[in-house]
Each structure stands twice: as structure tokens, then as C-alpha cells.
Amino acid sequence: MYVSARGDYAVRAMLAVADSGELVKAAALATAQGIPLSFLQGILLDLRRAGLLRSLRGTDGGYRLTRPADEITVGAVLRAVSGSLTTVRGLPVERTAYHGAASGLRDVWRAVESAIEEVVDGISLADLLTGSGVPRP
């Protein structure tokens, strides 16, 4: 699994919003997390389109979670901004095809994908904020 800057920034932004408990402005998120504002705005749009964030316009506006932090997983955030969690040569695992001696390789990639999903779908934003349930290396 490759975690892009976009995926990392998205999780960090969601954690900052969850931790604040209030409306958070994009500029404040960018400054607090060291994320370029123009890049963050695209990420916030993807998170809003995925139904993970709600935005309110105006001088008193900002972003907030659409549901409690314990109901939003790291996997949901990553999928919102990156699509598939696991790719092979840029393709989703389901679209790979192998022949002959390599025919079993697709099953390996599916197992890798399942292991990744188990981790990222088993950890919520609340887990990260409290440190509970986070696997340690």
C-alpha cells in the first residue's frame, strides 16, 4: 500500500476537525497541519462529496464531521480521496489478470488488500484521537 500525500493530509485534516469539536476553517486546518491551503481545499471538497464533512459558508462557517468520529474509519477517509486502497501497476486488484506460472498472483494481491482493509477499516478517527485500538508495530 502506498499512502500518498493526499491520503495522509486527508486523515490529518479529519483528525483535526474531529479533535476540535467545532467548525474549523480551511485556513486554520492548513496552518495547524502544515498543508498547502490550495491542496487542502481540493481534499476537503472530496471529503465533503464523500459525505464525511459538512461545510458551512460565511464568516462564521467552516467544516465539521457529518457523524461522530467513532463512526468514520481511516479506510473511509482514504477511499474518499484516493479510491482503491490497493493497486497493482495503477489498477485495482480486481482488474489484474495473470496467466501460466503467475496465475496465483492475483490471490496474493487480494490477500494483501484484505489485510490492509482489516487495519484501516478497523480504526476510527476516535481511536486515533484516544490512542485506543491502534495497532502498535
Side-chain angles (χ1 to χ4, degrees):
M1 174 181 184
Y2 171 76
V3 179
S4 66
R6 186 173 186 80
D8 181 57
Y9 289 165
V11 175
R12 289 167 47 194
M14 290 291 286
L15 286 167
V17 171
D19 194 40
S20 78
E22 310 177 343
L23 288 173
V24 181
K25 295 189 180 301
L29 280 174
T31 300
Q33 292 299 314
I35 302 170
L37 179 59
S38 59
F39 193 45
L40 178 62
Q41 287 172 327
I43 292 168
L44 295 172
L45 180 62
D46 286 344
L47 293 168
R48 191 174 57 80
R49 285 181 179 157
L52 300 175
L53 283 180
R54 176 171 293 130
S55 65
L56 296 167
R57 298 179 145 234
T59 56
D60 293 328
Y63 292 88
R64 69 174 180 222
L65 301 181
T66 57
R67 53 189 190 268
D70 63 348
E71 295 178 16
I72 300 174
T73 66
V74 171
V77 175
L78 292 174
R79 284 184 193 92
V81 297
S82 302
S84 297
L85 293 176
T86 308
T87 61
V88 178
R89 299 182 325 268
L91 296 172
V93 172
E94 311 81 55
R95 293 186 45 206
T96 59
Y98 298 96
H99 307 284
S103 62
L105 197 49
R106 186 175 187 191
D107 292 334
V108 172
W109 302 146
R110 282 183 179 158
V112 168
E113 183 175 49
S114 288
I116 291 168
E117 287 175 347
E118 185 177 332
V119 172
V120 298
D121 290 337
I123 300 173
S124 71
L125 298 178
D127 292 333
L128 286 173
L129 291 172
T130 64
S132 64
V134 178
R136 302 284 178 204

